[in-house]
Amino acid sequence: MKKFDSVEAYIEGHDTWTEALTLLRSIFISTELEEAFKWSAPVYNINGKNVVGLGAFKHHFGIWFFNGVFLKDEHQLLEQAQDKTKGLRQMRFSSLSDINKEAVLAYTKEAIENQKLGKEIKPEKKGTSVALPKLLSDVLKTQSELNAQFKALSPYKQREYAEYISSAKRDATKQSRLEKITPMILKGVGLNDKYKNC
């Protein structure tokens, strides 16, 4: 996959869609949105809040409204990106002629107004308490050093270990996973720390 370092490089790098992406970009920059380059793609924001983004793929391209769930969608142009996405809505295209410039501009202006009004989906914060599987809980009760080291870990790392044990289907697998993670907990490292600094 190509890596891009600017909006221009992104648009030029998707030569199949360059003309269409340029058109969409011109619509966005005709508004009060500020252009940025985040997550290796063009993003348009107001007052530091993301409103809409551009994306290009092999067989289609599109725009993503970060809080598109609040748009009226009078022309039925929006799709939910994935089942788990709460606020994000997308408009997909497969050719330049698919783009209704007036509709894109109207939706963009509505998204800007919604953002100004503070209409946005706030990410849910996971609680700091971690539900421990019985096997791990029982071991922590009997091994004070292991328990102390586990409690010293961040809630995120505790949750990783808890989910690692509870996601095993068989008791034997749970037991072998517990044996694998015990020395890691004693060292004070997270389950996936070795992958995070690659």
Side-chain angles (χ1 to χ4, degrees):
M1 199 169 147
K2 295 179 191 172
K3 284 278 186 192
F4 303 103
D5 58 4
S6 69
V7 174
E8 291 78 10
Y10 185 89
I11 290 173
E12 293 301 320
H14 290 90
D15 47 4
T16 309
W17 311 121
T18 299
E19 192 179 351
L21 294 173
T22 301
L23 172 63
L24 291 169
R25 180 191 193 197
S26 72
I27 294 169
F28 300 145
I29 59 178
S30 74
T31 69
E32 57 194 299
L33 292 174
E34 291 180 28
E35 186 173 66
F37 194 71
K38 297 180 182 179
W39 310 295
S40 301
V43 175
Y44 300 84
N45 61 68
I46 188 160
N47 301 324
K49 298 282 190 175
N50 299 325
V51 176
V52 63
L54 263 180
F57 305 93
K58 191 172 184 180
H59 300 292
H60 73 279
F61 61 97
I63 55 181
W64 281 256
F65 291 98
F66 287 87
N67 286 291
V69 68
F70 298 110
L71 294 171
K72 294 186 194 92
D73 196 15
E74 291 168 358
H75 301 287
Q76 303 295 300
L77 299 173
L78 299 177
E79 299 176 31
Q80 189 167 353
Q82 298 170 340
D83 289 340
K84 62 184 178 184
T85 56
K86 291 189 170 72
L88 197 70
R89 294 295 181 271
Q90 63 180 331
M91 223 182 257
R92 282 189 180 198
F93 310 102
S94 54
S95 72
L96 179 66
S97 61
D98 288 348
I99 301 171
N100 177 334
K101 291 184 282 188
E102 290 75 24
V104 171
L105 181 60
Y107 278 54
T108 302
K109 285 182 174 177
E110 184 187 347
I112 292 168
E113 288 310 307
N114 286 346
Q115 188 60 60
K116 287 179 177 177
L117 293 169
K119 291 184 180 180
E120 59 184 10
I121 299 278
K122 304 272 193 240
E124 289 177 20
K125 289 188 176 172
K126 287 189 176 178
T128 52
S129 62
V130 177
L132 298 180
K134 186 175 184 332
L135 180 65
L136 181 57
S137 178
D138 290 348
V139 169
L140 292 176
K141 284 176 191 167
T142 60
Q143 296 186 28
S144 58
E145 186 186 350
L146 185 66
N147 188 35
Q149 289 288 41
F150 186 80
K151 284 184 175 173
L153 294 170
S154 69
Y156 177 80
K157 289 181 180 181
Q158 291 178 12
R159 197 174 293 111
E160 279 185 330
Y161 281 125
E163 288 172 359
Y164 182 63
I165 299 282
S166 60
S167 66
K169 305 250 187 305
R170 296 172 48 236
D171 288 341
T173 309
K174 289 182 183 188
Q175 185 62 46
S176 68
R177 285 184 178 186
L178 177 65
E179 289 165 14
K180 177 187 170 186
I181 66 172
T182 298
M184 296 168 72
I185 294 170
L186 288 169
K187 284 184 194 165
V189 298
L191 181 65
N192 298 306
D193 283 4
K194 66 180 178 181
Y195 303 111
K196 288 178 182 162
N197 297 319
C198 295

